[in-house]
Amino acid sequence: MTPADAKRFGVDDGDEVEVAVTGGPRDIVFGDVLIRVSPKYVLEMHLDTDEANAAELDQGAAGDLVYTNVTSAGGALQGRRTLPG
């Protein structure tokens, strides 16, 4: 994407985001999408052929940027439950 697009979406070069594609035969969210920013680029997302086919996407399908604050994501480890026996 261009620097203007990056500013509009609130992302920087090297960020990882999620992109949701809805309204087609299958709704899907692509995770760990790497943002690349340059004045020479256009706003588009490149998909592996297998991913696009699995999602039943046609050329020109549109999606929405749905998650940009990856650095605040968190989690907690929990002990495994031991089954009797």
Side-chain angles (χ1 to χ4, degrees):
M1 65 175 61
T2 65
D5 290 328
K7 183 176 181 179
R8 181 168 53 120
F9 287 107
V11 296
D12 294 311
D13 189 54
D15 284 354
E16 289 185 2
V17 300
E18 292 181 348
V19 175
V21 180
T22 59
R26 266 185 194 180
D27 292 347
I28 190 165
V29 176
F30 293 98
D32 302 324
V33 176
L34 179 64
I35 298 294
R36 302 306 298 172
V37 178
S38 170
K40 299 176 185 177
Y41 296 162
V42 296
L43 181 59
E44 61 184 28
M45 180 174 159
H46 296 269
L47 293 176
D48 176 272
T49 300
D50 291 336
E51 290 174 323
N53 288 339
E56 298 182 25
L57 297 177
D58 293 325
Q59 186 174 357
D64 294 308
L65 187 64
V66 294
Y67 188 73
T68 59
N69 196 6
V70 175
T71 57
S72 71
L77 295 176
Q78 297 184 11
R80 295 180 73 175
R81 182 173 58 133
T82 304
L83 298 175

